[in-house]
Amino acid sequence: MAFRLDDTDRKILTELQADASRSLDEIARAVGSSKTPVWNRIKKMRDAGIIRQQTVLLDAEALGFEATFFVLIRTSEHEAEWQRKFLATLRARPEVQEAHRLAGDIDYILKVRVKNARAYDQFYQALISEVRIYNVTALLSMEEIKSTLALPL
Amino acid sequence: MAFRLDDTDRKILTELQADASRSLDEIARAVGSSKTPVWNRIKKMRDAGIIRQQTVLLDAEALGFEATFFVLIRTSEHEAEWQRKFLATLRARPEVQEAHRLAGDIDYILKVRVKNARAYDQFYQALISEVRIYNVTALLSMEEIKSTLALPL
DNA sequence: AATGAAAGACGGCGAAT
DNA sequence: ATTCGCCGTCTTTCATT
């Protein structure tokens, strides 16, 4: 899984992360190379799965998604079947933007993005009706200070 | 800031979120329209800031970013100057992918992505040396179950 | 591994409906 | 607000060094 990047690869990824809408020529100029080699490198990284997806970042607030919750979950269940169902539920729910299994006494953390507090409650009710959960703490975000996916290469 | 989207706008955004590398013609076909109207709508949404950025999603693990922490922060300081400095620090630190100010007894949550536990410790030491913090809990992710930015439009 | 050329596809925009 | 269609630019490939 460890992919060897050289300096040029890293520069290309940095440029693409910052703005993937630019033309190959512009990217090439920015990294001090030219079209074809840059194109070949991008293709290689795409094929290797380093570059997963090309997408657009939307303004969630402007689209009416005004509430973000971080949800800390403790469970007493650790059977395979319970976990399978829990994960399937999380994956199926579009308001769940992130879900991680944790080390320590909190078992899972979710990031849930919804239109309002009511929509969160609906999600919460649906979740606990589908799987047994021992303890849930919801942290409500008041302000998104920073949000980026960019990796510091 | 509330932007009025119609059904076609929503479909376009859904398609772009799923794969922004496709041509205008393909997007247009997918949403049941044609090139120019789709182009005009995208331009409008771009200008309105609904579409913020076009970017690539990278495979963090394959690039050696193997540790993700969620960091819960309590502070006793609530002065403007302290907060200004704290936010500036978070924004300047590339390992901080997300930072939210919270309601409730936990004041802030961070998502921190680093190469390994050592790199996290370096971040932590740098953070507490720059600003006074009352209490920090770091939650280590064992498994990323889900990660998406897609909003359910 | 990089350059240059070249075909075809695509974006961007205007005119017309 | 959509269709058609044009032109210039860009992607993608290949031959060459």
Side-chain angles (χ1 to χ4, degrees):
Chain A
M1 249 291 180
F3 190 89
R4 270 191 93 68
L5 300 175
D6 68 11
D7 226 51
T8 307
D9 290 327
R10 259 186 288 275
K11 280 189 203 159
I12 292 171
L13 292 180
T14 303
E15 295 297 325
L16 288 178
Q17 284 193 118
D19 183 358
S21 74
R22 277 130 83 224
S23 75
L24 265 183
D25 273 327
E26 285 175 293
I27 306 282
R29 216 173 314 124
V31 306
S33 180
S34 60
K35 242 172 29 171
T36 310
V38 170
W39 190 84
N40 284 325
R41 283 158 181 272
I42 290 176
K43 178 158 170 37
K44 217 194 250 169
M45 292 191 282
R46 229 185 257 294
D47 293 346
I50 298 292
I51 298 174
R52 282 211 155 129
Q53 227 204 114
Q54 198 162 139
T55 190
V56 292
L57 269 33
L58 305 183
D59 183 331
E61 298 235 335
L63 292 167
F65 291 84
E66 296 184 342
T68 304
F69 289 85
F70 288 87
V71 184
L72 308 179
I73 294 175
R74 268 179 263 246
T75 179
S76 42
E77 318 256 346
H78 295 280
E79 290 159 48
E81 174 53 19
W82 178 90
Q83 193 180 19
R84 195 202 54 72
K85 196 172 175 195
F86 181 60
L87 300 197
T89 304
L90 297 180
R91 293 208 175 96
R93 282 258 155 200
E95 51 273 76
V96 179
Q97 289 201 324
E98 295 218 24
H100 291 251
R101 185 167 58 79
L102 302 175
D105 66 319
I106 296 170
D107 296 302
Y108 297 93
I109 187 168
L110 316 180
K111 182 184 172 192
V112 178
R113 188 147 225 165
V114 286
K115 301 230 170 199
N116 48 50
R118 267 188 66 166
Y120 172 74
D121 192 53
Q122 280 163 16
F123 162 75
Y124 171 75
Q125 297 294 340
L127 182 67
I128 61 172
S129 79
E130 291 197 45
V131 287
R132 260 192 63 83
I133 288 173
Y134 168 66
N135 181 281
V136 176
T137 305
L139 309 174
L140 171 60
S141 170
M142 291 282 99
E143 182 189 2
E144 185 178 285
I145 296 164
K146 180 173 185 175
S147 175
T148 181
L149 291 179
L151 301 170
L153 303 162
Chain B
M1 251 293 179
F3 191 88
R4 269 191 96 68
L5 300 174
D6 68 10
D7 226 51
T8 306
D9 290 328
R10 260 185 289 276
K11 280 190 204 158
I12 292 171
L13 291 180
T14 303
E15 295 297 326
L16 287 178
Q17 284 193 118
D19 183 358
S21 76
R22 278 131 81 221
S23 75
L24 267 181
D25 274 326
E26 285 175 292
I27 305 284
R29 215 173 315 123
V31 306
S33 181
S34 60
K35 224 170 53 162
T36 310
V38 169
W39 189 82
N40 284 326
R41 284 158 180 272
I42 291 176
K43 177 159 170 36
K44 218 194 249 171
M45 293 192 280
R46 231 185 256 293
D47 293 346
I50 299 291
I51 298 174
R52 284 211 154 129
Q53 228 207 116
Q54 196 162 139
T55 191
V56 291
L57 268 33
L58 305 183
D59 184 331
E61 298 235 335
L63 292 167
F65 291 83
E66 295 184 344
T68 304
F69 290 86
F70 288 88
V71 183
L72 308 178
I73 295 177
R74 268 179 263 247
T75 178
S76 41
E77 317 257 346
H78 294 281
E79 291 160 46
E81 174 54 19
W82 179 91
Q83 193 179 19
R84 194 201 54 72
K85 195 171 175 196
F86 181 59
L87 300 198
T89 304
L90 298 180
R91 293 207 176 97
R93 282 259 155 200
E95 51 273 77
V96 178
Q97 289 202 324
E98 294 219 26
H100 291 250
R101 185 167 57 80
L102 301 175
D105 67 317
I106 296 169
D107 297 303
Y108 297 93
I109 187 169
L110 315 180
K111 182 185 172 192
V112 177
R113 188 148 227 164
V114 285
K115 300 229 171 201
N116 49 50
R118 265 188 68 166
Y120 172 74
D121 192 52
Q122 281 163 15
F123 161 76
Y124 171 75
Q125 298 294 341
L127 183 67
I128 61 171
S129 78
E130 291 196 44
V131 288
R132 261 192 65 83
I133 288 173
Y134 170 66
N135 181 279
V136 176
T137 306
L139 310 174
L140 171 60
S141 171
M142 291 284 98
E143 182 188 2
E144 185 178 285
I145 296 164
K146 181 173 185 174
S147 176
T148 180
L149 292 178
L151 301 168
L153 303 164

